[in-house]
Structures are given as structure tokens and as C-alpha cells.
Amino acid sequence: MNTFLGTAVETVRTNNPLVHHITNYVTVNDCANLTLAIGGSPIMADEVLEVMEITGMSQALVLNMGTLNERTVNSMLLAGQTANEKGIPIIFDPVGAGASDFRNETARSIINMLNCAVIRGNISEIRFLAGITSSTKGVDASANDTSSIEEAQLIADQLATAHKCIVVITGAVDVISDGRRNILVHNGCAEMSRITGTGCMLTSLIASFCGSFPDQLFYAATTAVLAMGIAGELAFEQTTGTGSFRVALIDEISRIDQQTLTQRGNYVEK
Amino acid sequence: MNTFLGTAVETVRTNNPLVHHITNYVTVNDCANLTLAIGGSPIMADEVLEVMEITGMSQALVLNMGTLNERTVNSMLLAGQTANEKGIPIIFDPVGAGASDFRNETARSIINMLNCAVIRGNISEIRFLAGITSSTKGVDASANDTSSIEEAQLIADQLATAHKCIVVITGAVDVISDGRRNILVHNGCAEMSRITGTGCMLTSLIASFCGSFPDQLFYAATTAVLAMGIAGELAFEQTTGTGSFRVALIDEISRIDQQTLTQRGNYVEK
Amino acid sequence: MNTFLGTAVETVRTNNPLVHHITNYVTVNDCANLTLAIGGSPIMADEVLEVMEITGMSQALVLNMGTLNERTVNSMLLAGQTANEKGIPIIFDPVGAGASDFRNETARSIINMLNCAVIRGNISEIRFLAGITSSTKGVDASANDTSSIEEAQLIADQLATAHKCIVVITGAVDVISDGRRNILVHNGCAEMSRITGTGCMLTSLIASFCGSFPDQLFYAATTAVLAMGIAGELAFEQTTGTGSFRVALIDEISRIDQQTLTQRGNYVEK
């Protein structure tokens, strides 16, 4: 992991991966800016008539369920099929899974009909996908779903094994699993849940790294989690409210480098 | 009012009300961030297949007409019916009422088919809803509609009485009416109209307070108006342009407390 | 040009032109805030049932292809027809032209069925519209499309002549052409391409100026290009990351004045 960290950011900045997003209209601007900040190139397109073409020219595809509608569900499935055919990694963010039948069915369709490279969610969303009773409260993790780190690891492992993918559960401690290996990330700060879109932005960040390292998804996803957590810590030191915190978070991602990552990265490989 | 102010913010932060928004794609990110800043939990969902379920689990529903389309009008009416059945307060923001037949008809449908708890708009929009000739200029209040405070109070009282709800008219002086009582709020600053979404953000803030105080809507709405005005004043002192003003405004809401509210609140109860 | 610059900003601030946007959901908030920052009044509306009415009351119409769908393409064409009938300038931003058949056909429909007042794009997008092979990479200019300034001028002249409009190509040097005359603008900085929406925001800025000067489109568009470039330079001096850069950019537009424009404007008329 440490070796990987040493060159990952620089590679993304050189590689400039095009990341196709089919995402929500709440945090889309932040996702675009974060993708640019890390060195990727975002393109947002959700019209069924063009998504296959756009995915086909991209290095990664983000499917984010934040503000789904029937039209965009079709676009997600079509774009996802193209991605699978061409070996382009799909990064899936099941925002609000568990909160409505419509979201539940969409989330199930996506994980069953497509091969996702990475699934990233909070503990409530991932519990739902893993078939464990959860009590999603809107789009935020439910307090009732607080599980021990051991439990989160177990759920991540299960889902990762079942779908042959990387699973990222974000929370006080972040868990990354490929079904066999686990990494726990201790970076980040509580303030990050007081601004909208930190989860979505992380998903976009994961996509930029995975687009540049399609053969090292586990480390790519972990690097994104570390970068986001460290940026959150650095941003928090500079701000006195949630508005400026969001601005500083994007600032920090735009200037993060390997040195910061290796020095501040606080993780355990298992 | 003063007693209410003493605990209102803390209650919202503890209560963490889930606020379902069916709103526009222009200011939606600001609305989500402001809801989080005051201590609520925002969820944006506009698909007709899920809005009833989402509203049903929420403490308040925001209907904001900023960028309507035929699909979302249906969603608003369905979500609104659920809210009414379950006693969940609806906060209605008739953005641009008066500007097109489509908006006019939608606004009329919403106030006639649903029981709104609070209607918040600028003088042009509220004049239109009250059936008085107005000359809405896009989504901003028309200069031609500048009315005296007395006139604004009269219109607010009329609309509040007709629809058994709270009416909030924002302007240089903000008027809150429940049909019998009036509160005039003198906080805020002119700069607030130079950034998009201050109206929408206030509507979301009202929803967070109303979600926490469904039985004290008049005071809840007033507290939100005070909080927004005070945050605007404090933000303005720190900034030299409209970009940083918006950031500071969210900062200030995220750290506002009862002391600031009671000390800086500048209002008259009538 | 210099005489025009002397009063242009003040005129926009006094005139407060209503600018109807049919635009994407990625950068729409920035476009609204930038329109307000320069002194315009933005209205975003894309429902086919109301776009003609909204355009009809506006001083300028922005058609931005950022996140097209079939529904909004119809709205764009209808709004555009109204604009043409009433002599309201259309400012067209062919985001991602060249990236998908759907975008290509839409772009062609717009320039062939409507009389655009101004077309603004990067070199890849404008090459596509001019019928020259381009290699659009998503929504950003492709490195393969880097052309000499002379070539950019030629392409701008061609497209401007063919469609009797103003063409603006943004890049390291910006080219403005009305088919006969050229202005080259040397303001701006590379960092502007590291945040999303600088192109879209410039398009909105052009619309605010053109809405106030419908008979001097060439100078109006040039002033907007200068204002954006200068604001970018001033913003860059204050920031250390892309998040704060975006905030500072809006700040600078909100306080730009004729003195700054005339003193810092770095352009060549040809």
C-alpha cells in the first residue's frame, strides 16, 4: 500500500481520466470540482440517447442514486452495460438504499445486472445491499445502524465476496474490503457529515483513482479514502463553519500530494 | 417569542429533523447545506414512485417551484397529500409565481389542493397568490411591487386567513403572519438579494424549525427568519464579494446559537 | 472598444437584464450567482409549457448543452424561436459538441434552426460546429485540438460569417470574431480550467452584457471575456486551491468596475 501511495496522485494528475457521472443534482457540482481537483476530467450526461457513447470514451463510470428518476435508472443500466463490455470500472454509490422501494429495487438491479468495481456507501446503505435489516434514515446513516468495526468488516467482506468487487463503508472508521483483505482508515473528522456530498465526492474521487488504476482497484479505492479523510482533517483546521469547510476541503484535494498522503495516512492493513 | 428563541436552535440540533425537499436544481445544494448547518437532515427526492414513501418518513416537506416541470408537479401534489394525511408540515415556496401560466396554475393547485403550513415568498409572489395584481420580474421581486410594510402585512394576513397557514413575506422588512398576529423582522441586509437562493435557503430553514416544532409554526417560522437575517448581517461584515458572502452565510448558520438569536434579533410583535 | 468599456459594467448594473437560462444542472448555481454578481437577474426554466413565456419577458436567452435531455432540447428550440421572433439575443454554449451524436445533432439543430447572437465554446467544440474534424474529450478541449491563434481566428471568422453571429473561442488566448473583426484577449489564467463551469459562467456573463447592449454584441461579448479573464487573474492571486479560487472568482465579478476593466484589460483589436 505504501509503495502505491507514493505515486498514485501524480499518476492521476498525469493520466487525467475522463469520469462519466450519472449522478444527482444536489452534489453534482462538488463532484465535478473534486474530480478536477484530483486531476480527473468529469463529464455529466444522463440522457439515454448518449450515455453509452459517453461511457465508452471514459476511464470510469460513477452511478450515484442521489436523485433517481425512472429516466435516469434506464440510463444507469445502459451505461453500466457498456462499461462492463469495455472493462471500464463502475463505481456505485447507493445513496439512500433502504429509504424507498424504488431506491431498493434500483440498487438491487444495479448490483445484480452489472459488475460493479467498487460499491461505496454508509453502513445503513451497505447493510441494506448485503441483505441485513437496516434502518436507513433518509440519505444519512441511521444511528440504529451503528455497528462495531468488526461487524462492518464482516458485512463489507460478505458483500465484496458476493459481488466480486471492492466495498467501501464510510464512517468514523472507514472499511475497505475486497472480500479477502481489509484496510481500516482512521483519517477524517466528524464535521464531514455536516456538509452535503462528502460521500458523493469520495465516490467521484474513487472513480478518478480507479480510472487511472483499473488493475489495482483495492489500493486505488483506499488511496481515495485516505485522500478524502486527510483533506477533511486539514480543511477542518482552517475553518469555523460548514460553508468554509466545504471550500477548504476542495482546496486541500486540489493540492494534495504523495508526501501528505504517506505522512498523514492513518490506516491498518489486515 | 423570546422564550421560544431561548431553546429553538438547540432543539433542532438535537431533534435532527428529516426534511424532504422537492425543489429546484439551481439552489438545491445550498438548501441541503443550510439544512445540515442548522441541524436538520435533508433528503431530496422527486420521483413520483418514491415521494410518498420519503415524505412519510420525514418531519417536514419543502415544495419549491424554482425549476418546475410536469413530472415534478405531480410529485409535489402526491407528496403533499401524504404530508397532509400524516400531519407533516408543508413549507411552500412559490418561486416565480406570476411569471408564467404554468407556475401560476401550479401555485394555485398547491395552495388549493393542499394544506400548507407555511408559505414563504417575496412580495411579488405573495401578491400573486393573494389574487392581487403583481408584476413579478422573473424570480425576483419586482420594483413595481414595492409596497409599504402596512400593505405587506395586510396581504400576508389575508392569505394566511384564507389558507389557515403562516405566511412569510421577505423583503427589506420581513413580515410573518398567522392571520391574526404579525411579527416584523428588521434583521438582514440588502446584499442577500445579490446571491441566488437566499429565499430558498430560508424556506429550508423554516422547514427545519417547523419539523421540530409542528405545534408552534408561527414561532418556528419566525425563528428561521431571524436566524437567516442575523446570519446575513454577520456574514456581510466578513466579506468583500458575493462569492465569499454565500460561504460566510452558511458558516454563520452552522454556528448560530440562542445567545446570538436573542441578542441580535430585531423584531416587533404586533 | 475602450470607450465602450468605460460604461459597460455600470450599464449592466443599472439595467439589471433578466437572463433566461436553459442550462445544465452541474454549473447552474454558479451561472446564477455570476449573473447576479455582474448585475443581471437570472431565471432558470426548462419546462416546455413555460419557456416561451419566460423567454418573452427576458433580455437574453442562454442555451447551454451541458446536461441535455430530449425534454430540454425541445424547450431550447421553442425558447429560441421566441427569442428570434422578439429580437432577444441567444447566447449558445455547445458544451461537449463532438462528444456524442445526440449532442452533435442538437448543436446542429440549434445553429441551423435559430439565429444565435453569440456562440461561445472551447476550440474542440467550435471546430466541431465549423465542420472541422475535432477530437473533443468530454466537455474539455482536447489537447489534440490545440491550434495556433491564427487557426483559431480563422475558424472563428468562418463560423461567424456562416451564421452571421459573434463567435467566442476561449483558451490560453481568447478569440472574439464577428466574421470581419477580431479581438484577442490575453487575460485569464490556466487555473480557470481546474474548476468546473468557468466556460458556462462566461456564457452567462456574455448574456448579461448582450442583454444590456443588444445592438453592440461584439463589444458586449468582448467585455464579458475581459471581465472573466481579469476576475480570474485577481482571484488567483488570493487563493491556494481550487475551492477558494471559485469563491474568489465570483467575488471579483461582483466588485469589478470600469477602472479595473480598462486598466487590466489586455487585448488586441484586429
Side-chain angles (χ1 to χ4, degrees), chain C residues 63-132:
Chain C
L63 301 180
N64 174 310
M65 299 202 326
T67 52
L68 280 181
N69 61 51
E70 279 199 289
R71 187 176 67 77
T72 53
V73 171
N74 288 336
S75 299
M76 286 186 186
L77 294 174
L78 277 172
Q81 283 163 17
T82 302
N84 279 171
E85 280 160 27
K86 303 210 171 188
I88 297 160
I90 298 174
I91 321 303
F92 177 43
D93 192 330
V95 183
S100 77
D101 287 344
F102 178 61
R103 285 180 196 239
N104 297 351
E105 280 164 35
T106 303
R108 279 195 211 100
S109 298
I110 287 175
I111 61 171
N112 292 329
M113 293 170 64
L114 303 173
N115 294 315
C116 293
V118 182
I119 302 173
R120 189 218 62 85
N122 61 41
I123 184 70
S124 295
E125 291 155 351
I126 299 296
R127 280 174 74 102
F128 172 81
L129 290 187
I132 300 164

Side-chain angles (χ1 to χ4, degrees), chain B residues 50-106:
Chain B
E50 70 169 352
V51 290
M52 292 184 290
E53 221 172 329
I54 302 286
T55 295
M57 70 174 70
S58 300
Q59 273 70 60
L61 171 65
V62 169
L63 301 180
N64 175 311
M65 299 202 325
T67 52
L68 280 181
N69 61 53
E70 280 199 290
R71 188 176 66 76
T72 53
V73 170
N74 288 335
S75 298
M76 287 187 184
L77 294 174
L78 277 172
Q81 283 161 17
T82 302
N84 280 171
E85 280 160 27
K86 303 210 171 189
I88 297 160
I90 300 173
I91 321 302
F92 177 43
D93 192 329
V95 182
S100 77
D101 287 345
F102 178 60
R103 285 179 197 240
N104 297 352
E105 280 163 35
T106 303

Side-chain angles (χ1 to χ4, degrees), chain B residues 91-153:
Chain B
I91 321 302
F92 177 43
D93 192 329
V95 182
S100 77
D101 287 345
F102 178 60
R103 285 179 197 240
N104 297 352
E105 280 163 35
T106 303
R108 279 195 210 101
S109 298
I110 286 175
I111 61 171
N112 292 328
M113 294 170 65
L114 302 173
N115 295 317
C116 294
V118 182
I119 302 173
R120 189 218 63 84
N122 62 40
I123 184 68
S124 295
E125 291 156 352
I126 300 296
R127 281 175 74 104
F128 171 81
L129 291 187
I132 300 165
T133 318
S134 86
S135 46
T136 298
K137 186 198 169 185
V139 296
D140 299 315
S142 166
N144 301 335
D145 291 337
T146 314
S147 34
S148 66
I149 296 168
E150 289 72 27
E151 209 185 322
Q153 281 180 266

Side-chain angles (χ1 to χ4, degrees), chain C residues 155-209:
Chain C
I155 296 169
D157 288 348
Q158 251 180 268
L159 190 64
T161 304
H163 292 279
K164 298 195 182 67
C165 66
I166 311 297
V167 170
V168 177
I169 303 179
T170 44
V173 174
D174 306 311
V175 176
I176 300 100
S177 168
D178 69 353
R180 292 166 298 118
R181 290 170 297 173
N182 273 196
I183 295 183
L184 303 182
V185 171
H186 293 271
N187 293 102
C189 61
E191 190 80 356
M192 294 173 79
S193 63
R194 286 198 68 205
I195 57 174
T196 192
T198 40
C200 303
M201 286 189 255
L202 172 54
T203 299
S204 293
L205 209 54
I206 292 174
S208 291
F209 281 98

Side-chain angles (χ1 to χ4, degrees), chain A:
Chain A
M1 184 68 220
N2 219 41
T3 322
F4 186 86
L5 279 185
T7 58
V9 171
E10 213 171 311
T11 303
V12 174
R13 299 213 200 278
T14 310
N15 200 292
N16 188 226
L18 186 63
V19 182
H20 180 196
H21 288 69
I22 304 181
T23 188
N24 68 76
Y25 55 82
V26 184
T27 65
V28 60
N29 183 272
D30 293 328
C31 291
N33 273 318
L34 215 78
T35 302
L36 284 162
I38 199 62
S41 185
I43 182 163
M44 279 59 182
D46 64 26
E47 167 56 48
V48 88
L49 293 173
E50 70 168 351
V51 290
M52 291 184 290
E53 221 171 330
I54 302 287
T55 294
M57 70 175 70
S58 301
Q59 274 70 62
L61 171 65
V62 169
L63 301 180
N64 174 310
M65 300 201 325
T67 52
L68 281 181
N69 61 52
E70 280 198 289
R71 187 176 66 77
T72 53
V73 170
N74 288 336
S75 299
M76 286 187 187
L77 293 173
L78 277 172
Q81 282 162 17
T82 302
N84 280 171
E85 281 160 26
K86 304 211 171 188
I88 297 160
I90 299 174
I91 321 301
F92 177 42
D93 192 330
V95 183
S100 78
D101 287 345
F102 177 61
R103 283 178 198 242
N104 298 352
E105 280 164 35
T106 303
R108 279 195 210 101
S109 298
I110 287 174
I111 62 171
N112 292 329
M113 294 170 64
L114 303 173
N115 294 315
C116 293
V118 182
I119 302 174
R120 190 218 62 85
N122 62 40
I123 184 69
S124 295
E125 291 156 352
I126 299 297
R127 280 175 75 103
F128 172 80
L129 291 186
I132 300 164
T133 318
S134 86
S135 46
T136 298
K137 186 198 169 186
V139 295
D140 299 315
S142 165
N144 300 335
D145 290 337
T146 313
S147 35
S148 65
I149 295 168
E150 289 72 26
E151 210 184 322
Q153 281 180 265
L154 202 71
I155 295 170
D157 287 348
Q158 251 180 270
L159 190 65
T161 304
H163 292 279
K164 297 196 181 67
C165 67
I166 311 295
V167 170
V168 177
I169 302 179
T170 43
V173 174
D174 305 312
V175 176
I176 300 100
S177 167
D178 69 353
R180 292 166 297 118
R181 290 170 297 172
N182 273 195
I183 295 183
L184 303 183
V185 172
H186 294 270
N187 292 103
C189 60
E191 191 79 356
M192 294 172 80
S193 62
R194 287 197 66 206
I195 58 175
T196 192
T198 41
C200 303
M201 285 188 256
L202 172 54
T203 299
S204 293
L205 209 54
I206 292 173
S208 292
F209 280 98
C210 290
S212 294
F213 296 99
D215 299 325
Q216 297 178 81
L217 298 172
F218 184 61
Y219 284 158
T222 301
T223 306
V225 173
L226 284 166
M228 194 70 184
I230 293 167
E233 292 168 8
L234 293 169
F236 185 59
E237 288 167 15
Q238 307 157 45
T239 56
T240 48
T242 58
S244 51
F245 180 61
R246 181 177 72 138
V247 173
L249 188 63
I250 298 174
D251 270 359
E252 291 301 334
I253 290 291
S254 76
R255 62 185 182 210
I256 208 160
D257 57 19
Q258 55 188 74
Q259 211 180 345
T260 312
L261 272 177
T262 46
Q263 281 174 2
R264 291 196 65 128
N266 183 358
Y267 62 94
V268 185
E269 296 192 63
K270 294 214 166 177

Side-chain angles (χ1 to χ4, degrees), chain B:
Chain B
M1 185 69 220
N2 219 41
T3 322
F4 186 84
L5 278 185
T7 59
V9 171
E10 214 172 310
T11 303
V12 174
R13 298 213 200 278
T14 310
N15 200 291
N16 187 226
L18 186 64
V19 182
H20 180 195
H21 287 69
I22 303 181
T23 188
N24 67 77
Y25 56 83
V26 184
T27 64
V28 60
N29 184 272
D30 293 328
C31 291
N33 272 318
L34 214 78
T35 302
L36 284 162
I38 199 62
S41 184
I43 181 162
M44 278 61 181
D46 64 26
E47 167 56 46
V48 87
L49 292 172
E50 70 169 352
V51 290
M52 292 184 290
E53 221 172 329
I54 302 286
T55 295
M57 70 174 70
S58 300
Q59 273 70 60
L61 171 65
V62 169
L63 301 180
N64 175 311
M65 299 202 325
T67 52
L68 280 181
N69 61 53
E70 280 199 290
R71 188 176 66 76
T72 53
V73 170
N74 288 335
S75 298
M76 287 187 184
L77 294 174
L78 277 172
Q81 283 161 17
T82 302
N84 280 171
E85 280 160 27
K86 303 210 171 189
I88 297 160
I90 300 173
I91 321 302
F92 177 43
D93 192 329
V95 182
S100 77
D101 287 345
F102 178 60
R103 285 179 197 240
N104 297 352
E105 280 163 35
T106 303
R108 279 195 210 101
S109 298
I110 286 175
I111 61 171
N112 292 328
M113 294 170 65
L114 302 173
N115 295 317
C116 294
V118 182
I119 302 173
R120 189 218 63 84
N122 62 40
I123 184 68
S124 295
E125 291 156 352
I126 300 296
R127 281 175 74 104
F128 171 81
L129 291 187
I132 300 165
T133 318
S134 86
S135 46
T136 298
K137 186 198 169 185
V139 296
D140 299 315
S142 166
N144 301 335
D145 291 337
T146 314
S147 34
S148 66
I149 296 168
E150 289 72 27
E151 209 185 322
Q153 281 180 266
L154 202 72
I155 295 170
D157 287 348
Q158 249 179 270
L159 190 64
T161 303
H163 291 280
K164 298 196 181 65
C165 67
I166 311 296
V167 169
V168 177
I169 303 178
T170 44
V173 175
D174 307 311
V175 176
I176 300 100
S177 167
D178 70 353
R180 292 166 299 118
R181 291 170 296 173
N182 273 195
I183 295 183
L184 303 183
V185 172
H186 294 270
N187 293 102
C189 60
E191 191 79 356
M192 294 172 79
S193 63
R194 286 198 66 205
I195 57 174
T196 192
T198 41
C200 304
M201 285 189 255
L202 172 54
T203 299
S204 293
L205 209 54
I206 293 173
S208 291
F209 281 98
C210 289
S212 295
F213 295 99
D215 299 324
Q216 296 178 79
L217 298 172
F218 183 61
Y219 284 158
T222 302
T223 306
V225 173
L226 284 166
M228 194 69 183
I230 293 168
E233 291 168 9
L234 293 169
F236 185 59
E237 288 167 13
Q238 306 158 45
T239 56
T240 48
T242 58
S244 51
F245 180 61
R246 180 177 72 139
V247 173
L249 188 63
I250 298 174
D251 271 359
E252 291 300 334
I253 291 291
S254 76
R255 63 185 182 211
I256 209 161
D257 57 20
Q258 55 188 75
Q259 211 180 346
T260 312
L261 273 178
T262 45
Q263 280 173 3
R264 290 195 65 127
N266 184 359
Y267 62 94
V268 184
E269 296 191 65
K270 295 214 166 177

